[in-house]
Amino acid sequence: DAGVIQSPRHEVTEMGQEVTLRCKPISGHNSLFWYRQTMMRGLELLIYFNNNVPIDDSGMPEDRFSAKMPNASFSTLKIQPSEPRDSAVYFCASSPQQGYGYTFGSGTRLTVV
Amino acid sequence: QQPVQSPQAVILREGEDAVINCSSSKALYSVHWYRQKHGEAPVFLMILLKGGEQKGHDKISASFNEKKQQSSLYLTASQLSYSGTYFCGTSTNTGNQFYFGTGTSLTVIP
C-alpha cells in the first residue's frame, strides 16, 4: 500500500498564476479530504468528498479555490488566481468510511510570491 | 466548529506523564487524535466514538466524555519519540468530516 500520494511536494509560483494540486487516495477509501495548514490557523478543512461527490465545501475560502474528484482514484485542488496569502501546506487525506481514522498524504508546500 | 486544545505547549522529561485536553462548544459525536512531527504529515493515533469510551494504545490512551463535550489524551512514561504536535479532530454529526484543534506542542527531553 503506497498510502495517499500527493504531487507536487513543493510548488513555488508567482501571484496570479494558476496552481493545481493532485491527490491519489488509498484504494478502497470512500472519503477524501483536503486540508490547509498554516501556523496562524492550524489545520483547516477545505472540502470533503464521499464516493467522489462533494459533501461539504463550506471551508473553501473563496471562488478562487475549486476541487474535483472525477473518479475514485484522483482528486485535484485548483487555485486560480493564486495570492501570497494562499501560501501554506495543503494536505490530502483519505478514510475507508465513518469510524476510521484518516491517512494523510505527505502534503504540498505551496509558496506564492 | 474548531475545538480548543490545552495546554498549547508542554515540555516533559523522559518518563514523565502528560495530559492534553480537547473541548468543544458543540455536542460531539466522535473524536480523533493525531500526532504530527515537524515537516511530516499528521499520523492517526486513535478514534473515540460517542458512548464515553476510553481507549489505549501502548502507553498512550484517551477518554471521551460526551456530556462535558471533551476528550483527553494521556501519555504515560513519555519517551523521546513522543515529541511532536498533537491534534484532536472532532465531529459533531454522523458525517465523516472532522475539524481540528490548534494543536499541542509536546517536547520530551532526556
Side-chain angles (χ1 to χ4, degrees):
Chain A
D1 184 357
V4 176
I5 300 173
Q6 289 188 247
S7 64
R9 287 297 307 274
H10 302 274
E11 177 81 34
V12 180
T13 190
E14 291 186 347
M15 183 173 62
Q17 296 297 306
E18 177 179 298
V19 175
T20 299
L21 311 182
R22 297 171 176 79
C23 175
K24 176 179 169 55
I26 292 175
S27 177
H29 281 197
N30 297 330
S31 298
L32 182 139
F33 311 86
W34 283 99
Y35 282 88
R36 176 171 68 177
Q37 186 173 39
T38 61
M39 287 294 293
M40 291 296 293
R41 293 189 298 269
L43 271 166
E44 299 174 275
L45 175 63
L46 299 178
I47 189 168
Y48 154 47
F49 291 89
N50 192 52
N51 293 323
N52 314 338
V53 176
I55 303 299
D56 182 357
D57 65 354
S58 59
M60 296 287 264
E62 43 197 277
D63 292 345
R64 297 185 298 108
F65 285 69
S66 62
K68 293 182 179 179
M69 192 165 185
N71 57 61
S73 58
F74 184 65
S75 177
T76 59
L77 179 68
K78 186 178 293 187
I79 309 173
Q80 165 66 15
S82 58
E83 296 182 3
R85 59 193 169 118
D86 301 330
S87 297
V89 179
Y90 289 81
F91 285 105
C92 174
S94 70
S95 169
Q97 58 189 8
Q98 184 192 358
Y100 289 79
Y102 296 176
T103 301
F104 281 81
S106 300
T108 294
R109 181 173 295 276
L110 173 66
T111 303
V112 184
V113 297
Chain B
Q1 302 195 50
Q2 187 177 42
V4 176
Q5 287 185 234
S6 63
Q8 286 188 319
V10 60
I11 299 175
L12 302 172
R13 291 199 177 275
E14 267 188 298
E16 291 183 338
D17 302 339
V19 180
I20 299 172
N21 298 304
C22 173
S23 62
S24 172
S25 59
K26 297 188 175 185
L28 297 178
Y29 184 81
S30 57
V31 179
H32 285 187
W33 284 97
Y34 293 79
R35 176 171 61 210
Q36 183 179 30
K37 293 188 180 285
H38 184 68
E40 300 180 7
V43 174
F44 174 71
L45 294 176
M46 65 188 77
I47 181 172
L48 298 102
L49 300 176
K50 189 175 179 180
E53 64 177 6
Q54 184 157 348
K55 276 193 173 182
H57 177 59
D58 195 9
K59 291 182 178 148
I60 300 175
S61 62
S63 63
F64 178 22
N65 188 323
E66 60 189 279
K67 288 184 179 178
K68 292 185 177 180
Q69 297 168 189
Q70 67 184 37
S71 176
S72 296
L73 186 71
Y74 308 93
L75 298 102
T76 306
S78 57
Q79 307 167 15
L80 295 177
S81 62
Y82 285 4
S83 293
T85 300
Y86 289 78
F87 291 95
C88 68
T90 58
S91 175
T92 57
N93 55 41
T94 57
N96 203 15
Q97 66 268 49
F98 281 73
Y99 297 90
F100 286 90
T102 49
T104 296
S105 173
L106 186 140
T107 305
V108 181
I109 58 176

